[in-house]
Amino acid sequence: MRLRKRLLGAGELGPMIGHSTAMRKVMALIEQVAPSNASCVLTGDSGTGKELAARTIHDLSPRRSHAYVALNCAAIPRP
């Protein structure tokens, strides 16, 4: 946990790297969400790193030993 806090302070969290205020806020949110058993939905424009954020949440969560399944909701056809 101390190492993770040091990396977060250095602008790194798992594979995510960034020193801007916005990236630090995203990393702090990931740190808050990851320990929870609740599901979360990530939204945003294409190419903003939602899948990378989701993978990081999974890797830091209690579910990390289970399968990670990425789902592109835009690819699901409407009925």
Side-chain angles (χ1 to χ4, degrees):
M1 186 67 162
R2 284 180 24 200
L3 175 60
R4 212 160 51 203
K5 285 187 186 244
R6 279 184 44 206
L7 288 173
L8 185 59
E12 296 179 28
L13 182 64
M16 301 180 74
I17 299 172
H19 298 282
S20 69
T21 302
M23 277 304 295
R24 288 179 189 260
K25 285 181 182 179
V26 168
M27 290 180 204
L29 285 172
I30 288 172
E31 280 279 308
Q32 282 183 303
V33 171
S36 171
N37 276 327
S39 297
C40 66
V41 176
L42 304 177
T43 62
D45 293 335
S46 179
T48 56
K50 294 179 298 292
E51 192 167 339
L52 182 62
R55 169 55 85 174
T56 303
I57 291 169
H58 177 78
D59 290 346
L60 298 175
S61 78
R63 302 178 193 184
R64 67 184 152 271
S65 62
H66 301 289
Y68 169 77
V69 178
L71 178 64
N72 180 355
C73 296
I76 300 172
R78 292 179 186 239

